[in-house]
Amino acid sequence: MFRERERGSAMGRTAGQNEDKVGAFFVATLVLWFVSVCFEILFNKRSELLTVVAGCFFFQTANWVIRFFASPDPLFVNTSVSLLHSTITSSSVVFILVNQWLRSGPSGMFEHSQLFGGTWPWAYAALCFSCGYFAYDQWDMLQYRLYSGFIPAILVHHLILLICFTLALYRNVTINYLILTLVCELHSIFLHVRKVRRMAGFCDATSTLVRIEWVLNWVTFFVARFASHILITVKLIWDASKFKKGVELPLALFGMAGMNLLNVFLGFDLFNAFRREKNSQHTNCHRE
């Protein structure tokens, strides 16, 4: 028994050391990202990138407000801020798309020249603001260890987004492509609503509201996340010959491959959560 306890303790220490290494790596990448953004703003006079910094401070302030007035639980605070971001970003994306549709109509809106080199009104600012959120969220998860595993999918997801978004903002290309990827935030709303609901103790799977929530969760997952990202990937491949030589196409394909893979994993996780919630009814409400 002593040996088993000793072995378990050693395994716990190893897992903790691995998490420390993972955390250190992602902290280092985040620091490098922050230095890069500051360099662009200060030395290259890219004042438009101040919206990225504004996004960081806005969501960090929301974090402090929720922590002070609602709950100090790091997971609850993080999820609530994520819900705020999804609501703001999805509303912004819908506004941008509808505004562009009304201004110029559907013809030419999704042409390669528009998606690659053009920038719809408000698109650059919206992308900057969302980029600031992902930097804030990465730091918050690292600070409170809101991740697990040797290669945490959520940290990898945020790192991919920060790289793709930031390079696009620096070079002022593929802005509209990236706005289209953010349509998935419509689904994120219902992901975060579900988590907040369960942490608040509302777990009755037979409730009409919960059933509606799950319907919207699945519909937005398949339409706003899974299908939209597949269509963007197909569009990139279809227009591959129109890209000039450079890093844009390989980086875009790499980013979308990562997103599509994570979407598959998310789909399995969502199905397991749905089945578990349907079977458990009222048990294991606060943590899954």
Side-chain angles (χ1 to χ4, degrees):
M1 183 178 292
F2 175 76
R3 288 182 178 178
E4 290 178 358
R5 192 177 303 162
E6 190 177 50
R7 191 181 300 118
S9 177
M11 290 176 63
R13 284 197 301 271
T14 302
Q17 290 171 355
N18 288 336
E19 284 194 4
D20 288 341
K21 291 178 182 178
V22 169
F25 169 77
F26 283 102
V27 167
T29 59
L30 192 58
V31 169
L32 288 173
W33 172 86
F34 183 73
V35 170
S36 171
V37 172
C38 289
F39 182 87
E40 286 291 319
I41 293 172
L42 296 175
F43 294 99
N44 290 338
K45 311 299 182 183
R46 298 289 301 276
S47 59
E48 65 273 20
L49 293 173
L50 285 171
T51 310
V52 176
V53 180
C56 291
F57 278 103
F58 175 83
F59 290 107
Q60 182 59 62
T61 302
N63 180 300
W64 290 330
V65 170
I66 294 170
R67 190 177 303 277
F68 183 79
F69 288 103
S71 169
D73 178 20
L75 183 58
F76 178 84
V77 175
N78 182 271
T79 306
S80 299
V81 176
S82 296
L83 175 58
L84 176 64
H85 165 258
S86 296
T87 304
I88 293 174
T89 300
S90 57
S91 300
S92 301
V93 169
V94 170
F95 170 78
I96 290 166
L97 293 175
V98 171
N99 180 59
Q100 184 62 22
W101 187 286
L102 294 176
R103 280 166 56 96
S104 58
S107 60
M109 185 174 172
F110 300 112
E111 289 292 325
H112 174 75
S113 57
Q114 270 291 305
L115 294 176
F116 177 79
T119 305
W120 297 321
W122 304 102
Y124 194 94
L127 197 63
C128 283
F129 198 70
S130 197
C131 189
Y133 160 78
F134 287 115
Y136 143 79
D137 197 46
Q138 189 85 324
W139 169 247
D140 193 60
M141 287 188 294
L142 288 165
Q143 184 180 11
Y144 293 101
R145 288 179 176 265
L146 302 177
Y147 60 90
S148 61
F150 183 69
I151 305 177
I154 187 65
L155 297 183
V156 173
H157 169 268
H158 280 25
L159 180 59
I160 291 173
L161 288 184
L162 283 173
I163 292 171
C164 294
F165 282 24
T166 308
L167 288 178
L169 291 169
Y170 287 174
R171 299 168 67 88
N172 206 8
V173 294
T174 67
I175 302 299
N176 294 340
Y177 259 122
L178 291 172
I179 286 295
L180 291 178
T181 66
L182 288 175
V183 170
C184 70
E185 291 299 328
L186 282 166
H187 173 241
S188 296
I189 290 176
F190 299 103
L191 280 182
H192 300 318
V193 163
R194 175 182 173 272
K195 286 181 68 176
V196 170
R197 164 180 64 80
R198 290 180 64 81
M199 283 187 281
F202 188 66
C203 309
D204 186 1
T206 62
S207 166
T208 302
L209 288 176
V210 172
R211 289 177 176 177
I212 293 173
E213 175 207 295
W214 269 114
V215 169
L216 293 173
N217 211 323
W218 281 116
V219 169
T220 53
F221 170 76
F222 282 111
V223 176
R225 184 179 295 275
F226 192 80
S228 68
H229 286 173
I230 290 291
L231 288 173
I232 292 169
T233 306
V234 171
K235 176 66 173 172
L236 285 169
I237 296 172
W238 185 266
D239 288 343
S241 61
K242 299 178 182 178
F243 281 84
K244 297 177 182 178
K245 290 183 178 180
V247 72
E248 289 86 2
L249 179 60
L251 187 61
L253 289 174
F254 170 76
M256 291 311 302
M259 294 292 289
N260 286 316
L261 184 61
L262 290 173
N263 286 343
V264 172
F265 292 146
L266 177 60
F268 282 117
D269 288 343
L270 200 61
F271 176 75
N272 289 332
F274 173 73
R275 186 173 58 181
R276 188 164 54 244
E277 186 167 317
K278 188 176 181 181
N279 292 337
S280 64
Q281 298 293 325
H282 300 281
T283 60
N284 300 324
C285 185
H286 294 277
R287 291 287 188 272
E288 293 188 337

